[in-house]
Amino acid sequence: MGIKFNFNDGTVRQNGRIHWRFDDHSAKFIFFTPLNQVGLELNASGENATLVNFAKKAFWRGDFMVLLDKLWGIELGLAPLKQLLVNGIVPQAELDRQGIVVDLENNAGGGALRTLRLRSGSAELTLRIYKNELRPGRIVLIDYGSRYRAADLESVLGDD
């Protein structure tokens, strides 16, 4: 699945492109830089996440929900996010608890999900699906612990 994202909360603006592959057990997100290079890789097994910054040769391990909260202020697990993007099923109780409003926009003719907007206060996250295809296979997660150093989330995400 190819996704373009836009995030704006009044002080921070983020734009980018994500390549997301998943199977029944695991998921891999590749975040691209504006120069179309791999910037970050996020591997998830269940709700356990590993975020790798290749330029810093550092990684962070923790809960997927913690990462989404830090990135975009959304406390949402991988399973509900997958349900939203793949099936268009809104976890209304979880989102109501956080005060998040969801807008779904399907392709013309009532087809697959095209755009997902999540709004909370002044923050808005827009995810546009530009490529959605199924392929057989399994996601293979790599253990970066032997190659890179462990770091805190802020360090791995930071631009320094």
Side-chain angles (χ1 to χ4, degrees):
M1 181 176 286
I3 301 170
K4 290 184 180 182
F5 71 88
N6 295 316
F7 176 75
N8 185 359
D9 69 355
T11 58
V12 175
R13 294 183 74 122
Q14 296 176 359
N15 299 324
R17 189 170 63 89
I18 304 168
H19 186 73
W20 180 23
R21 294 286 179 242
F22 57 88
D23 59 21
D24 292 337
H25 309 288
S26 304
K28 182 176 288 212
F29 298 81
I30 300 173
F31 293 81
F32 291 91
T33 68
L35 298 174
N36 205 31
Q37 298 171 326
V38 174
L40 299 170
E41 181 177 307
L42 171 61
N43 295 325
S45 178
E47 295 299 323
N48 299 317
T50 301
L51 181 68
V52 181
N53 186 320
F54 296 108
K56 294 182 178 186
K57 297 187 179 189
F59 71 94
W60 167 85
R61 281 195 181 119
D63 188 68
F64 184 85
M65 189 181 300
V66 170
L67 176 63
L68 273 189
D69 186 35
K70 179 69 177 170
L71 275 175
W72 297 317
I74 299 168
E75 292 183 31
L76 196 61
L78 178 58
L81 178 64
K82 187 176 175 181
Q83 286 295 323
L84 254 171
L85 288 172
V86 175
N87 301 322
I89 298 172
V90 179
Q92 201 63 49
E94 290 181 53
L95 296 173
D96 285 347
R97 181 175 39 86
Q98 297 177 59
I100 296 174
V101 177
V102 176
D103 290 325
L104 300 173
E105 186 178 312
N106 291 334
N107 286 328
L113 180 67
R114 184 176 72 191
T115 303
L116 168 67
R117 284 186 191 82
L118 301 168
R119 285 191 301 266
S120 178
S122 64
E124 181 173 324
L125 173 65
T126 304
L127 302 172
R128 287 184 182 82
I129 300 170
Y130 66 89
K131 186 177 185 181
N132 190 359
E133 59 188 26
L134 295 175
R135 293 185 184 170
R138 294 182 39 88
I139 301 298
V140 176
L141 301 179
I142 299 170
D143 181 19
Y144 288 100
S146 61
R147 294 190 226 175
Y148 298 121
R149 66 177 173 79
D152 63 358
L153 182 57
E154 289 77 18
S155 173
V156 173
L157 286 172
D159 289 332
D160 50 34

